[in-house]
Amino acid sequence: MGIGHWALIISPSASPAPPAAPAPSPPAPNSLLPFPNPMSAEIICVGTELLLGDILNGNAQFLAQQLAQLGIPHYYQTVVGDNPERLKQVIEIAISRAQILIFTGGLGPTPDDLTCETIADFFKVPLVERSDIIEDITQKFAQRGRVMSPSNRKQALIPQGAEILPNPTGTAPGIIWQPRPEITIFTFPGIPSEMHLMWEETAVPFLKSQGWGKEIIYSRSLKFWGIGESALAEKVASYLKLPNPTVAPYAGKGEVRLRVSAKATSEAAAEDLIAPIEKQLKEIAGLDFYGVNNDTLASVVGQLLRASKETLSVAESCTGGGLGQMLTEISGSSDYFWGGVISYDNSVKVGLLGVNQEDLDKFGAVSAIVAEQMAVGVKTRLATTWGLSITGIAGPNGGTDTKPVGLVYIGLAGPKDEVTSFEYQFGTVRGRALIRHVSANAALDNLRRKLLTR
Amino acid sequence: MGIGHWALIISPSASPAPPAAPAPSPPAPNSLLPFPNPMSAEIICVGTELLLGDILNGNAQFLAQQLAQLGIPHYYQTVVGDNPERLKQVIEIAISRAQILIFTGGLGPTPDDLTCETIADFFKVPLVERSDIIEDITQKFAQRGRVMSPSNRKQALIPQGAEILPNPTGTAPGIIWQPRPEITIFTFPGIPSEMHLMWEETAVPFLKSQGWGKEIIYSRSLKFWGIGESALAEKVASYLKLPNPTVAPYAGKGEVRLRVSAKATSEAAAEDLIAPIEKQLKEIAGLDFYGVNNDTLASVVGQLLRASKETLSVAESCTGGGLGQMLTEISGSSDYFWGGVISYDNSVKVGLLGVNQEDLDKFGAVSAIVAEQMAVGVKTRLATTWGLSITGIAGPNGGTDTKPVGLVYIGLAGPKDEVTSFEYQFGTVRGRALIRHVSANAALDNLRRKLLTR
């Protein structure tokens, strides 16, 4: 099958060349050859703004996700500036290791946009002006009450023999082109919204017509708290060598994730491959496993509280409201979260939470007994099932020899008047923001474990 | 100059090898050769998660910005997966076109982390186990009350002759290495916070010692709240065309910034170029200007409160603790921030803040009068100079025709028993997280304006 799908969107017959147009008659639609096998793609992002760090390369991430979903292997991404000689060198390398070259950027009307002409030059093929593109751009300007700038004429030049990859929302069309039988080239503008639409509307149908998308990659992220990356990786070592699904560990901000990715002919088939592995990994990890994908410790605790029809209040010192914020990130959290007290100053611990002034003086604000009194105090005053508290030293100042930065106590008061506390040493090197983040999550994790094991 | 600066941080002599350690004695610090000229850098990001599109390549953007600031040319970025053969091919290409190779990713403890060993293998140099790294990792685990996993031992293997680029906050050190006189290699872990710190603390001083950063780009970010990007851009239109310093507007999360960037031979010279422009821009913006660079509304409010020796408490409904969290992000905020009440449930508004139940019933929790009573209630109960409150509908549920999602009231109670409120319509399209973020900042902004104009 050729590329008739989008040839219909901008086709020479639909937009006849105006008589004055100097363009040669457009080439007959190319009947593209089927892709050779094996096959892989390379993403090539063109733009000096990427080399200056002015923008994040979201286009590479988008295309990477899309290729993975279609099951098209993809081993390299290259970023290069608006420089023809260096771009040609990049093309030379890419055609030695990939068969599908996907370019983004450099299709605009300004002199530094030279992706299309450089590709043509590399393959020693002349550019031709396509009157149908001129017509399309003219109409788009007219729609906005404007006249096409002379510089946009450049965007109508495409390599002889290439097909147009139409751009419904912008002026820069892309191309799809097989300059050699084994090489297929796609070009897209760098503007993400335009690129996404062109990819979905024309590139994906074409790639599927070529037999791609039969095998997809589908992933689930399993999330763990209370275990380090290396310890978890050792526990599940044999799984990290599986061919399909694959299991890979990631870590960040106190949390560890295992990404389980299956290659299969459908999402359902991938889920069937993942399910037994997921079950085994959960069994190995036990209570350290807390959720999947977009679950957070706050959302998981919320589900448990909603199921047991119980309520929660919090008393926060060093996190200053961060625990409450995590809990209320979830819409509907008012069903089980009633509020709390930010007892940053000791006077608030005494006045609003009923912490004993003598214990404060004797043991200090950062102590197990104060954490417990905070938890009981907030639970009692807000009349909730559970009270959860945090007191600690987030640093960088305020640490002492006996109470270093990173020392945190979590208090948990429960429905049967039981109260417990947990001591953590998060260390001085993590920094204030991370100590606060892991403190709030550790508090939620203790409540989660309690709700699951009582 | 060599790399003495960081050799001091983890040096073989400072952390003698334990007798049992099987490591060969570490190599003597390398006296690195000066860079050849011309010189350019290539950024090589290693990680299958990048090829799967799981994460955005923020590391490439960060490094690109940093290289631009130092004036180090940089023409290519490459992304490759956790695959030794393909990584070696990437190194082969990179050394043919760049002299500084900067790697991120693949330094972790798991089997798929193989950047360091692949680089060593490429240059046919053996890996050696560095006892000083083992010592450092062991200490970091001990600080958190844990024992080092055997798999972390892998992170102590570095190519013979390489220097350690210490990682103050994580277990994976990087290296700096000249495997050939004309090639300098840096490796960094993929975790952004670790990479940034290592870059700033050790790579930048080294690169500067090599003569880079002679003509620097130095920027200051002026920050504004309460004015839109286009309105500000129109007010300062003539400044947006300046050649040096340049002025460029950015917007995000309710805030507008003007980035003023000067090219000069020193930071002081750049500051001299920026200062008069900054002064003029502040005068034009008036009270909408609130700070520069890392200032936040919370830090600026904190400075004002500290100066006037006044204190603040907060009462939060829809932000659920987010305002308190913002205030306590600043170390030392306990000088002026005493705490607050998260009155998510109405019972807490009445019970802990003294909001009038009849007013709640008549006007609803999201009303000017309840916002004002919350502010007065928290100020009185916590005995602070100021009380600041937020009540609103963050959505996506809970909106009505008369009280749509995005409706937020801020209450402000002050020292002379005055109380005021402010109504905002943040609209439904921004989403729950952004409505909460701008609500907390709008509250701080009102207090800021009050403190500046009373």
Side-chain angles (χ1 to χ4, degrees):
Chain A
M1 188 183 145
I3 52 167
H5 173 79
W6 65 74
L8 287 174
I9 303 175
I10 299 189
S11 74
S13 58
S15 316
S25 65
N30 216 6
S31 65
L32 293 169
L33 300 165
F35 285 144
N37 231 334
M39 165 72 62
S40 72
E42 177 156 345
I43 297 170
I44 299 169
C45 301
V46 185
T48 301
E49 67 274 28
L50 287 163
L51 295 182
L52 290 173
D54 285 343
I55 54 170
L56 258 171
N57 197 350
N59 286 345
Q61 185 187 25
F62 172 83
L63 289 168
Q65 286 170 337
Q66 294 287 318
L67 290 170
Q69 275 171 30
L70 287 166
I72 298 176
H74 147 238
Y75 304 122
Y76 307 94
Q77 297 168 3
T78 306
V79 173
V80 63
D82 302 305
N83 175 296
E85 289 318 307
R86 287 194 277 267
L87 179 52
K88 277 189 220 169
Q89 194 216 45
V90 165
I91 298 170
E92 180 115 46
I93 292 165
I95 61 173
S96 75
R97 61 191 186 187
Q99 298 72 42
I100 306 176
L101 274 51
I102 304 176
F103 294 82
T104 66
L107 302 187
T110 60
D112 65 345
D113 291 307
L114 36 72
T115 299
C116 202
E117 62 199 82
T118 304
I119 296 171
D121 191 30
F122 178 87
F123 289 105
K124 312 256 179 278
V125 170
L127 291 168
V128 293
E129 186 178 84
R130 287 284 292 254
S131 56
D132 44 346
I133 302 176
I134 299 269
E135 178 73 8
D136 179 66
I137 298 175
T138 306
Q139 277 175 16
K140 279 174 178 152
F141 272 89
Q143 265 183 353
R144 300 172 200 168
R146 293 193 197 167
V147 175
M148 188 183 94
S149 300
S151 59
N152 287 98
R153 209 164 185 102
K154 178 170 169 302
Q155 297 179 302
L157 296 169
I158 70 169
Q160 193 155 38
E163 298 281 333
I164 295 167
L165 212 153
N167 182 342
T169 55
T171 57
I175 62 167
I176 173 164
W177 184 33
Q178 286 181 332
R180 296 178 189 168
E182 76 284 6
I183 300 291
T184 303
I185 285 172
F186 292 84
T187 68
F188 295 91
I191 298 171
S193 60
E194 296 181 11
M195 194 268 282
H196 294 185
L197 201 64
M198 291 165 73
W199 174 264
E200 279 152 18
E201 290 197 349
T202 56
V204 170
F206 171 71
L207 290 165
K208 285 193 168 167
S209 77
Q210 296 284 319
W212 293 101
K214 283 182 184 163
E215 199 159 60
I216 58 152
I217 295 175
Y218 177 84
S219 301
R220 272 169 78 80
S221 189
L222 312 189
K223 296 167 118 173
F224 305 83
W225 190 271
I227 186 168
E229 182 185 17
S230 46
L232 181 63
E234 280 162 30
K235 270 186 157 182
V236 301
S238 61
Y239 291 85
L240 305 185
K241 293 170 195 152
L242 289 180
N244 190 24
T246 59
V247 179
Y250 300 92
K253 297 179 86 178
E255 170 171 295
V256 184
R257 282 170 289 129
L258 291 178
R259 187 178 198 274
V260 189
S261 299
K263 209 169 190 173
T265 53
S266 70
E267 214 168 280
E271 278 174 349
D272 286 347
L273 287 169
I274 290 172
I277 302 300
E278 178 174 339
K279 188 160 172 280
Q280 290 161 38
L281 292 170
K282 284 181 187 173
E283 275 167 16
I284 293 168
L287 275 177
D288 291 334
F289 166 83
Y290 79 82
V292 297
N293 296 344
N294 294 324
D295 289 343
T296 61
L297 281 163
S299 74
V300 168
V301 162
Q303 286 156 21
L304 293 168
L305 291 171
R306 182 174 276 125
S308 61
K309 297 195 182 359
E310 293 179 315
T311 55
L312 171 65
S313 58
V314 299
E316 303 187 53
S317 188
C318 66
T319 47
L323 176 56
Q325 192 192 30
M326 273 183 193
L327 284 157
T328 56
E329 267 169 10
I330 297 139
S331 177
S333 50
S334 54
D335 291 351
Y336 49 81
F337 178 67
W338 283 16
V341 171
I342 304 170
S343 54
Y344 212 59
D345 193 76
N346 282 348
S347 66
V348 185
K349 295 185 182 76
V350 176
L352 255 68
L353 292 172
V355 170
N356 187 303
Q357 181 70 55
E358 280 173 30
D359 290 332
L360 257 181
D361 294 341
K362 189 167 170 193
F363 301 103
V366 180
S367 61
I369 192 165
V370 168
E372 292 182 9
Q373 290 178 13
M374 287 168 65
V376 171
V378 77
K379 169 183 129 66
T380 309
R381 277 157 187 74
L382 271 69
T384 51
T385 324
W386 299 92
L388 189 57
S389 72
I390 305 174
T391 179
I393 302 159
N397 306 314
T400 64
D401 281 354
T402 51
K403 295 194 175 176
V405 168
L407 176 67
V408 174
Y409 291 91
I410 308 287
L412 176 59
K416 292 166 199 152
D417 288 331
E418 78 264 34
V419 57
T420 46
S421 56
F422 308 87
E423 182 185 301
Y424 290 89
Q425 297 269 9
F426 291 125
T428 55
V429 294
R430 294 189 178 198
R432 182 175 178 87
L434 192 52
I435 287 173
R436 281 155 45 97
H437 176 84
V438 295
S439 297
N441 275 301
L444 291 167
D445 189 51
N446 279 305
L447 175 55
R448 178 183 71 86
R449 286 170 193 257
K450 178 77 183 169
L451 292 170
L452 287 171
T453 56
R454 57 179 160 170
Chain B
M1 186 183 144
I3 52 168
H5 174 78
W6 64 76
L8 288 174
I9 303 177
I10 298 188
S11 75
S13 57
S15 316
S25 67
N30 216 5
S31 65
L32 292 170
L33 298 166
F35 285 143
N37 232 333
M39 166 71 60
S40 72
E42 177 155 346
I43 297 170
I44 300 170
C45 300
V46 186
T48 300
E49 66 274 27
L50 288 164
L51 295 181
L52 291 171
D54 284 345
I55 54 170
L56 257 172
N57 197 349
N59 287 346
Q61 185 188 23
F62 172 83
L63 290 168
Q65 286 171 337
Q66 295 287 318
L67 291 171
Q69 275 173 28
L70 288 167
I72 299 175
H74 146 238
Y75 303 121
Y76 306 93
Q77 297 168 3
T78 306
V79 173
V80 62
D82 301 304
N83 176 295
E85 291 317 308
R86 287 194 277 268
L87 179 52
K88 277 188 216 166
Q89 194 217 44
V90 165
I91 298 170
E92 179 113 50
I93 293 165
I95 60 173
S96 76
R97 62 191 186 187
Q99 296 73 43
I100 306 175
L101 274 49
I102 304 174
F103 293 82
T104 66
L107 302 187
T110 61
D112 65 345
D113 290 308
L114 37 72
T115 298
C116 202
E117 63 199 81
T118 304
I119 296 172
D121 192 29
F122 177 87
F123 290 105
K124 311 253 178 281
V125 170
L127 291 169
V128 292
E129 186 178 84
R130 287 283 293 253
S131 55
D132 45 346
I133 302 177
I134 299 266
E135 179 75 10
D136 179 66
I137 298 176
T138 306
Q139 277 175 12
K140 280 174 179 153
F141 271 88
Q143 254 194 352
R144 298 172 200 172
R146 294 194 191 169
V147 174
M148 187 183 95
S149 298
S151 56
N152 286 98
R153 216 169 176 96
K154 178 172 168 303
Q155 297 180 303
L157 296 170
I158 70 169
Q160 194 155 36
E163 297 281 332
I164 294 167
L165 211 152
N167 182 343
T169 56
T171 55
I175 61 166
I176 174 164
W177 185 34
Q178 287 180 332
R180 297 178 189 169
E182 76 283 10
I183 300 290
T184 304
I185 285 174
F186 292 84
T187 67
F188 295 91
I191 296 171
S193 60
E194 296 181 11
M195 194 267 282
H196 294 185
L197 201 62
M198 292 164 72
W199 175 264
E200 280 154 16
E201 291 197 349
T202 54
V204 170
F206 171 70
L207 290 165
K208 284 192 170 169
S209 78
Q210 295 287 315
W212 292 104
K214 280 184 182 157
E215 184 155 71
I216 58 152
I217 296 175
Y218 176 83
S219 300
R220 272 170 76 82
S221 192
L222 311 190
K223 297 167 119 174
F224 304 85
W225 190 273
I227 185 169
E229 183 183 17
S230 48
L232 182 62
E234 281 162 30
K235 271 185 155 182
V236 302
S238 62
Y239 292 84
L240 305 184
K241 294 170 195 153
L242 290 178
N244 190 24
T246 58
V247 179
Y250 299 90
K253 298 179 88 182
E255 170 171 296
V256 183
R257 282 171 289 131
L258 291 177
R259 189 175 196 273
V260 187
S261 298
K263 206 170 192 171
T265 52
S266 72
E267 218 169 275
E271 277 175 348
D272 286 347
L273 287 169
I274 289 171
I277 302 300
E278 178 175 338
K279 185 158 173 281
Q280 290 161 37
L281 291 170
K282 284 182 186 172
E283 275 166 15
I284 293 169
L287 273 177
D288 291 335
F289 166 83
Y290 78 82
V292 297
N293 295 345
N294 294 325
D295 288 342
T296 61
L297 281 163
S299 73
V300 168
V301 162
Q303 287 157 20
L304 292 170
L305 290 171
R306 181 173 278 124
S308 61
K309 296 196 181 3
E310 293 179 311
T311 56
L312 172 66
S313 59
V314 299
E316 303 188 54
S317 188
C318 65
T319 46
L323 175 56
Q325 193 193 29
M326 274 182 193
L327 283 159
T328 56
E329 269 170 8
I330 297 138
S331 176
S333 50
S334 56
D335 291 349
Y336 49 82
F337 177 67
W338 283 17
V341 171
I342 304 170
S343 55
Y344 212 56
D345 193 75
N346 281 348
S347 67
V348 185
K349 294 185 183 75
V350 176
L352 256 67
L353 291 172
V355 170
N356 186 301
Q357 182 70 54
E358 280 174 29
D359 290 331
L360 258 181
D361 295 341
K362 191 169 168 190
F363 300 102
V366 180
S367 60
I369 193 166
V370 168
E372 292 181 8
Q373 290 179 13
M374 287 168 66
V376 171
V378 79
K379 168 183 129 66
T380 309
R381 276 157 188 74
L382 271 70
T384 51
T385 324
W386 299 91
L388 189 56
S389 72
I390 305 174
T391 178
I393 303 160
N397 305 314
T400 64
D401 281 353
T402 51
K403 295 193 174 177
V405 168
L407 177 67
V408 173
Y409 290 91
I410 309 289
L412 176 59
K416 293 168 200 150
D417 287 333
E418 79 265 33
V419 57
T420 45
S421 57
F422 308 88
E423 182 186 301
Y424 291 89
Q425 296 271 6
F426 291 126
T428 56
V429 295
R430 293 189 178 199
R432 181 176 179 85
L434 192 51
I435 288 172
R436 281 155 45 97
H437 177 82
V438 294
S439 297
N441 276 302
L444 291 167
D445 188 51
N446 279 305
L447 176 54
R448 177 183 70 88
R449 286 170 193 256
K450 179 78 184 168
L451 291 170
L452 287 171
T453 57
R454 59 179 160 170

